[in-house]
Amino acid sequence: MINVIGVNKTYIDSGTEALKDVSLSLNSGRIIGLLGPNGAGKSTLIRVLSTILKFEEGELTIDGLSIKENPLEVRKKIAVALQYSSVETWLSVYENLIVYGKFYGYCGNELNERIEKVIELFQLQEYVNTRANELSGGYRKRLQLARCFLSDSRILILDEPTAGLDPIIKDKLYGLLRTYSREGKLVILATQLLDEIEKVCDEVVIINKGKIIIHDTVDEVKELFGGTKKITLFFEEVDEEIDKKIKDIAKEYEIEYLIDEEKIILIATNKIANRLCRKIFEDLDPQRIDVNNESIEGIFIRLFSTNEKRS
Ligand SMILES: Nc1ncnc2c1ncn2[C@@H]1O[C@H](COP(=O)(O)OP(=O)(O)O)[C@@H](O)[C@H]1O
Ligand SMILES: [Mg+2]
């Protein structure tokens, strides 16, 4: 459905190479999470996919249509909610929906019915006559999303759509996305939230510094990077002897550790965690050991620090 081949994008003013040789193949009926830290290139890729941003090298086709040759036709196939509000600020909520609906070729009763439906979906009833620039951030986001669901586009591209949304609308959105994918539509969702990926996505594309590091199913990625424990050892003081012993243990078990005054923090896979804890008790005799499943944030951080070491 979407094919990206060797796309490069450099912002001329800053000289930033925001996308480096990006290739991707995305199929219908899937929800794709685009994950990466700040500045990774998510929004750049989203804008390129949305026909909004031109790129220098490479090729991008949507349903077989080249984005370079047929930008307007491609644009009509997709529904987009950018990271930063792209609504018409001087128009009311209702007028925004009219303009967008007409762009997709709806008119008359059909247009009105579609507008009513999305107003209800995103609970915008109170604000239909309010100018977009008078809406709060969360309501602007709702308007952006309402516009997306106005059309029957088979491809939905959303850049951090839940930032600023309240939990009720967020949940509603997740439900809508699942329905969309069951209907065979393709959803691309840029996010920094790992739990969002786990909750709604089928596949994850991880991007860092403009490069795609991983594209796989969510289950595979979890398998690869999840399943770890954070082990914290507490001492009165981490003296030289403890320091030396932990170094040896870390070497033997091939794990990373961090010394923080009277604490040592280790990250170990579930597989070796038990053995490691026994060894620590025997060799180091800490005052206390805490063992926790590593947090979602922890996995995220580790993902990118590992990547930096590799590159
Ligand atoms: N309009 C722009 N002009 C110049 N540089 C930009 C522009 N937009 C983004 N960048 C740079 O490109 C890189 C990727 O940014 P972006 O795609 O917004 O990342 P993300 O959405 O993952 O946070 C960053 O280094 C950012 O500073
Ligand atoms: Mg962004």
Side-chain angles (χ1 to χ4, degrees):
M1 209 169 194
I2 293 188
N3 263 308
V4 184
I5 307 159
V7 165
N8 287 309
K9 170 71 203 173
T10 302
Y11 289 106
I12 296 165
D13 47 352
S14 64
T16 309
E17 287 180 80
L19 296 177
K20 298 173 196 159
D21 197 21
V22 166
S23 294
L24 259 184
S25 179
L26 305 175
N27 295 317
S28 52
R30 310 287 281 170
I31 305 181
I32 317 288
L34 182 59
L35 177 75
N38 288 330
K42 301 181 296 295
S43 293
T44 303
L45 181 55
I46 290 282
R47 289 202 298 267
V48 162
L49 288 168
S50 308
T51 74
I52 289 157
L53 193 65
K54 291 206 167 92
F55 52 95
E56 300 87 42
E57 286 165 62
E59 182 54 279
L60 204 167
T61 60
I62 295 189
D63 271 353
L65 283 176
S66 158
I67 225 172
K68 278 182 174 163
E69 286 161 25
N70 310 286
L72 189 62
E73 262 181 85
V74 170
R75 183 66 188 85
K76 285 190 172 164
K77 281 181 176 286
I78 58 183
V80 182
L82 296 177
Q83 181 170 14
Y84 300 107
S85 173
S86 56
V87 293
E88 303 300 328
T89 49
W90 292 99
L91 297 181
S92 70
V93 165
Y94 187 71
E95 288 161 344
N96 261 284
L97 294 171
I98 293 265
V99 170
Y100 214 66
K102 286 195 169 163
F103 173 75
Y104 287 99
Y106 304 116
C107 58
N109 272 349
E110 189 182 15
L111 178 59
N112 286 335
E113 279 165 20
R114 281 176 183 271
I115 290 176
E116 254 174 54
K117 197 182 100 194
V118 294
I119 284 177
E120 201 178 317
L121 266 179
F122 291 96
Q123 291 165 24
L124 285 158
Q125 296 91 334
E126 261 181 67
Y127 298 94
V128 275
N129 295 317
T130 307
R131 265 199 211 155
N133 66 351
E134 289 165 11
L135 295 173
S136 69
Y139 272 93
R140 266 196 212 196
K141 204 86 193 187
R142 289 189 196 200
L143 173 56
Q144 276 186 289
L145 292 168
R147 286 192 329 186
C148 276
F149 287 90
L150 196 60
S151 74
D152 257 341
S153 304
R154 294 187 51 239
I155 300 171
L156 195 57
I157 302 177
L158 308 171
D159 196 351
E160 301 197 22
T162 56
L165 278 192
D166 67 46
I168 297 164
I169 297 288
K170 203 192 256 194
D171 232 46
K172 204 168 210 176
L173 175 68
Y174 292 157
L176 285 170
L177 297 182
R178 287 192 203 100
T179 309
Y180 252 51
S181 76
R182 273 200 300 274
E183 290 170 356
K185 294 172 178 169
L186 169 66
V187 180
I188 301 169
L189 167 77
T191 182
Q192 298 186 55
L193 309 174
L194 228 108
D195 61 336
E196 193 157 289
I197 301 263
E198 283 190 42
K199 252 191 200 155
V200 289
C201 297
D202 305 301
E203 292 174 29
V204 57
V205 173
I206 300 176
I207 180 167
N208 192 29
K209 296 181 181 167
K211 281 193 207 156
I212 290 181
I213 321 166
I214 291 167
H215 176 195
D216 217 325
T217 62
V218 173
D219 289 343
E220 280 292 320
V221 172
K222 273 201 325 207
E223 179 90 18
L224 210 62
F225 293 96
T228 56
K229 295 259 188 287
K230 177 180 169 187
I231 303 169
T232 312
L233 318 174
F234 295 88
F235 299 92
E236 213 158 277
E237 186 198 352
V238 179
D239 57 25
E240 265 180 44
E241 196 190 337
I242 294 175
D243 191 68
K244 188 185 168 308
K245 282 184 179 166
I246 194 72
K247 217 179 255 169
D248 292 341
I249 292 177
K251 203 169 161 195
E252 183 186 339
Y253 286 80
E254 297 182 337
I255 51 166
E256 307 273 340
Y257 69 98
L258 193 96
I259 295 183
D260 177 17
E261 292 180 13
E262 71 277 21
K263 271 190 307 197
I264 298 179
I265 299 163
L266 307 135
I267 303 291
T269 59
N270 287 343
K271 240 182 180 170
I272 64 161
N274 285 345
R275 256 189 307 137
L276 181 66
C277 285
R278 268 200 302 277
K279 174 86 175 163
I280 286 165
F281 264 124
E282 279 166 18
D283 288 13
L284 292 177
D285 195 25
Q287 288 179 320
R288 198 176 96 221
I289 296 190
D290 273 359
V291 182
N292 293 310
N293 282 326
E294 201 188 353
S295 67
I296 282 154
E297 283 84 355
I299 294 174
F300 185 86
I301 291 163
R302 210 156 43 81
L303 221 56
F304 293 109
S305 57
T306 312
N307 170 54
E308 285 191 352
K309 268 177 226 152
R310 274 190 205 143
S311 62

